[in-house]
Amino acid sequence: MKPRIGVLTSGGDCPGLNAVLRGVALAAEKLNFEVLGFLDGFEGLLPPGRFIELNRRSTSGIMPRGGTIIGTTNRGHFVAKIGAGDRAEVAPEIIEDARRMLNEHRVEALIIVGGDGSMTTALQLHEAGINCIGVPKTIDNDLEATAMTFGFDSAVAAVTDALDRLHTTATSHKRVMVLEVMGRHAGWIALHGGIAGGAHIILIPEIPFDYDKICEALTMRDVRGSIYSLVVVAEGAKPCHGQVVMQPNEGGEYRMGGIGHVVAGEIAVRSGRETRCTVLGHLQRGGAPTTLDRILGTRFGVKAVRLVSERQYGSMVSYQNYQVRHVPIADAVNRLRLVPPEGELIQTARDVEISFGD
Ligand code: F6P
């Protein structure tokens, strides 16, 4: 009987997840492992276990597909994250149930593909004696332990494309067009997408903004002869003396989003300019992954299998200095990589006349 590896995808979906699964399946086949893909994130670990076999056949042709063929969730019995830097424990009986089910199905190691919250859960499973390998995933690209995550490049491409399209209406109608993008704690998507899409003002969580400065930047553009403007706002951006905008949902939780409309409203009132807002939302997370995300996802999946074969349990795949390496999961959780306000990228943006509203 071949030894078995389990794999699951957890948290928000992200372009490149299927490339990881394909990488896992093919690399495992080469090393003589069988792979079970657990369905709907950690929930598939609950007895009796819900999974499909991942192999050459079942992963054939999935590379260009967005999302994940084994499903995911950012809710359920295993949610261990209650906010940035916070940690809640997964109930011990749930961990025991998962362990029993993995033993029954002869799964020797579990590859967990997920973001910061999912890595917190992975760490708990590892500490409880389940052999785990982490693969980092977030379109926000805000994990300190890896220089890059797959999904980010695809999200930035969606923002760039949206800005290219908004340019048309902005110039034709001489309007201010505001685009709200994802990025709860870090402004990487807004910054990269904004620079690539030719935005004139970029508002990110790391640099609190001032509406007077935004209006000054718009006036400066008038003076220079440009009577339209593109503004990119990360969902976690906030004014110097204000709060992050959040919306309550049915479950009594709060979800970020809404700052785009607030910023557009303030610009319209304060500057008298015709202003519109577009919220890009989940369009950033959907569709085919870019070339870069397909390659990075494949490399991460293959590396995860190699780490299983080397029994490097408790490790997370990490991208550093153009190499795919690994770090302890314990060193990776709860450490966000934010945009350095004095960094080279911000300075580059300022040098091409982008304002951060500060
Ligand atoms: O962390 C990834 C992310 O896409 C954030 O940028 C965004 O705030 C959040 O997930 C949205 O989550 P959901 O799909 O649950 O609304």
Side-chain angles (χ1 to χ4, degrees):
M1 270 191 294
K2 289 184 182 179
R4 279 183 169 169
I5 300 175
V7 61
L8 61 85
T9 51
S10 170
D13 69 327
C14 168
L17 281 170
N18 286 327
V20 176
L21 297 176
R22 178 175 171 275
V24 166
L26 295 181
E29 213 155 296
K30 193 169 173 200
L31 291 175
N32 217 27
F33 286 107
E34 266 177 16
V35 182
L36 302 186
F38 287 92
L39 304 180
D40 303 330
F42 291 98
E43 295 298 294
L45 299 180
L46 293 175
R50 291 184 299 115
F51 52 82
I52 57 170
E53 205 176 311
L54 293 183
N55 51 34
R56 179 184 307 280
R57 217 173 336 104
S58 59
T59 60
S60 171
I62 67 170
M63 177 87 100
R65 282 169 59 182
T68 160
I69 62 163
I70 53 174
T72 187
T73 180
N74 48 14
R75 328 178 131 243
H77 297 82
F78 291 81
V79 173
K81 189 76 185 287
I82 54 176
D86 300 328
R87 184 174 163 168
E89 301 294 321
V90 177
E93 60 274 18
I94 295 290
I95 296 182
E96 267 325 298
D97 280 350
R99 186 210 308 280
R100 198 161 23 90
M101 194 281 305
L102 289 168
N103 286 342
E104 275 166 18
H105 291 288
R106 297 187 296 102
V107 177
E108 293 185 7
L110 189 59
I111 296 174
I112 294 162
V113 190
D116 193 39
S118 308
M119 287 307 131
T120 311
T121 304
L123 184 58
Q124 279 188 65
L125 298 188
H126 169 68
E127 286 167 356
I130 296 174
N131 296 330
C132 294
I133 298 292
V135 174
K137 171 239 60 157
T138 157
I139 63 160
D140 297 348
N141 206 23
D142 59 356
L143 298 182
E144 176 67 40
T146 183
M148 182 102 171
T149 47
F150 59 88
F152 173 66
D153 190 57
S154 304
V156 169
V159 172
T160 307
D161 178 58
L163 286 171
D164 286 349
R165 290 167 191 270
L166 291 173
H167 236 103
T168 312
T169 305
T171 51
S172 304
H173 287 262
K174 303 169 185 62
R175 283 180 183 164
V176 177
M177 301 298 282
V178 176
L179 178 68
E180 180 184 307
V181 304
M182 284 183 173
R184 284 180 290 190
H185 309 292
W188 294 110
I189 294 176
L191 183 57
H192 282 245
I195 293 174
H200 308 106
I201 298 173
I202 301 176
L203 307 177
I204 59 174
E206 295 86 343
I207 305 179
F209 60 85
D210 180 336
Y211 286 112
D212 290 338
K213 299 284 182 188
I214 293 174
C215 291
E216 272 174 32
L218 294 173
T219 305
M220 186 62 81
R221 281 186 50 74
D222 287 351
V223 171
R224 289 176 177 147
S226 305
I227 37 163
Y228 74 96
S229 291
L230 293 175
V231 182
V232 178
V233 194
E235 61 188 347
K238 59 176 187 304
C240 308
H241 304 294
Q243 293 299 318
V244 168
V245 179
M246 292 198 268
Q247 313 295 333
N249 68 11
E250 326 76 50
E253 296 165 349
Y254 283 83
R255 196 167 288 150
M256 254 180 220
I259 184 70
H261 284 286
V262 175
V263 167
E266 289 287 336
I267 289 175
V269 168
R270 289 167 186 252
S271 74
R273 287 172 168 79
E274 198 179 4
T275 308
R276 295 286 190 276
C277 173
T278 302
V279 179
L280 198 53
H282 292 81
L283 291 175
Q284 289 155 98
R285 266 183 19 200
T290 58
T291 313
L292 199 146
D293 285 339
R294 295 177 196 204
I295 295 170
L296 198 57
T298 302
R299 291 172 78 184
F300 277 16
V302 168
K303 178 69 174 183
V305 172
R306 205 163 290 153
L307 290 174
V308 170
S309 74
E310 292 166 2
R311 304 182 68 80
Q312 301 267 10
Y313 302 130
S315 306
M316 187 188 84
V317 173
S318 154
Y319 186 71
Q320 298 160 15
N321 298 324
Y322 303 99
Q323 295 293 318
V324 178
R325 303 171 189 272
H326 64 277
V327 295
I329 299 177
D331 292 356
V333 294
N334 283 338
R335 288 179 52 208
L336 289 183
R337 187 167 57 84
L338 303 179
V339 175
E342 309 301 332
E344 178 268 336
L345 200 53
I346 294 284
Q347 194 50 53
T348 298
R350 291 191 195 279
D351 289 348
V352 293
E353 296 176 0
I354 292 173
S355 162
F356 289 91
D358 60 337

